[in-house]
């Protein structure tokens, strides 16, 4: 059996941490001379220093502000709402026996109007579920 020699319990210090400790001690000694602490204090700006604008900076700010006001003014004036839409003039029409919505739409449609669109408009105007009509039913059609 081999004998093992044990020394006193000492923490292991690497060479790099020993150098760091040495540097810290030297820095603390130097603080007494005031060299490191004074340099750090001089590097920081004073807390009471104010930001100052140059003449060119002020001109740029005024131009930006004036541009913003002009843009808001121009866009705000265009955002005006239109007045209420004018009411559509209508006449009452009594559905005759055998008359269809298509026939009524043909009489109402203009030369450039599609009859299918006019049928849809008539159904929507009269709030009907579909385009079916019954004889004697009263519907409204656009005048003119």
């Amino acid at each position: 059996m081999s004998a093992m020699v044990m020394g006193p319990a000492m923490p292991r210090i690497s060479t790099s941490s020993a150098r760091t400790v040495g540097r810290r001690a030297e820095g603390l000694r130097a603080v007494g001379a005031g060299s490191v602490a004074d340099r750090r204090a001089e590097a920081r700006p004073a807390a009471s220093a104010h930001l100052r604008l140059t003449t060119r900076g002020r001109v740029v700010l005024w131009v930006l502000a004036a541009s913003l006001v002009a843009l808001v003014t121009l866009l705000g004036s265009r955002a005006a709402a239109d007045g209420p839409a004018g009411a559509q003039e209508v006449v009452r029409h009594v559905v005759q026996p055998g008359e269809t919505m298509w026939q009524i739409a043909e009489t109402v449609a203009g030369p450039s109007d599609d009859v299918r669109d006019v049928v849809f408009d008539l159904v929507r105007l009269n709030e009907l579920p579909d385009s079916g009509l019954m004889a004697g039913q009263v519907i409204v059609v656009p005048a003119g």
Side-chain angles (χ1 to χ4, degrees):
M1 204 181 235
S2 66
M4 202 164 135
V5 177
M6 294 183 64
M10 295 283 294
R12 294 184 73 173
I13 300 176
S14 67
T15 55
S16 64
S17 37
R19 282 187 214 138
T20 305
V21 170
R23 284 188 199 134
R24 285 185 187 157
E26 288 173 12
L28 289 175
R29 281 185 224 120
V31 170
S35 61
V36 175
D38 288 342
R39 278 189 237 141
R40 286 185 184 158
E42 290 171 4
R44 278 187 246 134
S48 64
H50 295 288
L51 178 66
R52 294 183 184 209
L53 284 176
T54 62
T55 304
R56 184 171 66 178
R58 285 189 203 109
V59 169
V60 169
L61 272 175
W62 278 105
V63 168
L64 285 175
S67 299
L68 183 64
V69 168
L71 182 68
V72 168
T73 303
L74 287 175
L75 293 177
S77 65
R78 291 185 182 180
D82 292 336
Q88 185 176 14
E89 237 181 280
V90 293
V91 293
R92 292 177 183 230
H93 176 77
V94 179
V95 178
Q96 301 300 316
E99 194 173 28
T100 64
M101 183 69 80
W102 188 272
Q103 293 169 339
I104 297 170
E106 283 179 330
T107 60
V108 175
S112 63
D113 292 338
D114 187 2
V115 179
R116 293 173 291 195
D117 292 336
V118 176
V119 168
F120 178 75
D121 290 340
L122 287 174
V123 169
R124 190 170 40 101
L125 180 65
N126 288 287
E127 299 175 354
L128 299 173
D130 57 18
S131 62
L133 296 174
M134 294 174 40
Q137 185 177 357
V138 178
I139 62 170
V140 292
V141 294

